[in-house]
Amino acid sequence: MTFKRRYLMCRPTHFAVTYRINPWMDPTAPYDNALAISQWENLRQTFLDLGHTVELIDPLPGLPDMVFAANGATVVDGRALGVQFRDAERADEAPAYAAWFRENGFDVLEPKHTNEGEGDILLAGDVLLAGTGFRTSHASHAETQEFLQRPVITLQLVDPAYYHLDTALCVLDETNIAYLPQAFSPGSQAVLRQLFPNAIIATPEDAAVLGLNAVSDGETVVLAEQATHLAGALRAAGYRTIGVDMSELRKAGGGPKCCTLEVRR
Ligand code: ARG
């Protein structure tokens, strides 16, 4: 088992909070672009120190959310399922990410249905967990299964604060996850209990600092440093944790995982 991963990231050169497409965003509140850049640099350095490879895509002016690379694609076995955003503000990110994957030799599908990449579609062992309810459409789940050739498990998100699956659930390794049950419909909670009986249950306080928006390589979990309860629960379960401060990017509704797209060749 190897813990070395390949990630794609996008420097928040043009990061800003100028529109509101999720409840975390307040275009009237101040934000600090330089602080966002230094928090992002620290996240990138954390991955490099762990021995992971970080590839970069050029940030484009006028796309303040492009830093959230997780929304750029879903990549399994060298196939990149492209994205289609719900909101017009982010639409132009889709062709930019698709072009990067095409230029880097991936088989790219431009989707017919709305899907926001790894924000809502997460590989957990041999299956894909797919969120719907706010961004990624239910119709896209069939398209995802067909192209990525893995079984897709539909999960219904119910809390607008946890609008992407990766804000409510973190894949820890091949067999386990951490999640906030209240962010899911009763039926989806039952499915998660059945599939992951040993899952780590996050508290509302963990989720409220986007603690579940974490990046795990199977051994070390990189998560918001404010998520102290979740970090303790992860360590008790045998994971190593590294806390990072992403408070500036959280003003746009993103944490470490949102900034990180896993590239599986
Ligand atoms: N402002 C962005 C949006 O609302 C944040 C995206 C966060 N990304 C994620 N993978 N959860 O679309």
Side-chain angles (χ1 to χ4, degrees), residues 60-212:
L60 297 175
L63 296 175
D65 275 336
M66 194 172 170
V67 57
F68 300 117
N71 302 126
T74 307
V75 192
V76 179
D77 294 338
R79 286 171 215 264
L81 173 64
V83 298
Q84 187 179 302
F85 287 92
R86 182 195 66 179
D87 299 291
E89 290 88 341
R90 297 196 68 185
D92 290 345
E93 295 178 43
Y97 278 98
W100 189 92
F101 280 98
R102 229 175 277 110
E103 282 156 20
N104 284 274
F106 289 81
D107 181 11
V108 179
L109 179 75
E110 304 207 12
K112 287 196 187 65
H113 300 283
T114 301
N115 95 68
E116 299 199 355
E118 278 202 328
D120 275 320
I121 305 167
L122 295 170
L123 185 67
D126 293 329
V127 304
L128 289 162
L129 304 178
T132 189
F134 298 101
R135 301 290 184 90
T136 294
S137 68
H138 186 231
S140 77
H141 292 185
E143 185 175 38
T144 299
Q145 173 164 289
E146 193 60 30
F147 182 65
L148 297 178
Q149 301 179 6
R150 302 291 176 105
V152 168
I153 311 280
T154 291
L155 298 170
Q156 194 72 43
L157 295 163
V158 297
D159 182 339
Y162 306 113
Y163 58 95
H164 274 145
L165 180 64
D166 73 355
T167 63
L169 183 151
C170 172
V171 175
L172 298 171
D173 56 30
E174 304 267 290
T175 58
N176 210 8
I177 63 169
Y179 68 105
L180 179 73
Q182 305 91 297
F184 297 89
S185 68
S188 296
Q189 291 183 33
V191 167
L192 288 170
R193 278 197 303 273
Q194 183 194 328
L195 290 177
F196 304 102
N198 303 316
I200 292 175
I201 303 301
T203 63
E205 292 74 24
D206 294 325
V209 291
L210 290 178
L212 286 163

Side-chain angles (χ1 to χ4, degrees), residues 9-13 33-49 54 56 67 244-246 249 259:
M9 298 181 73
C10 180
R11 192 173 188 270
T13 311
N33 175 271
L35 182 56
I37 291 173
S38 75
Q39 292 177 345
W40 178 89
E41 290 287 1
N42 177 57
L43 178 66
R44 174 170 170 268
Q45 192 58 49
T46 301
F47 292 144
L48 295 175
D49 292 345
V54 177
L56 297 174
V67 57
V244 289
D245 185 12
M246 303 294 284
L249 292 146
C259 297

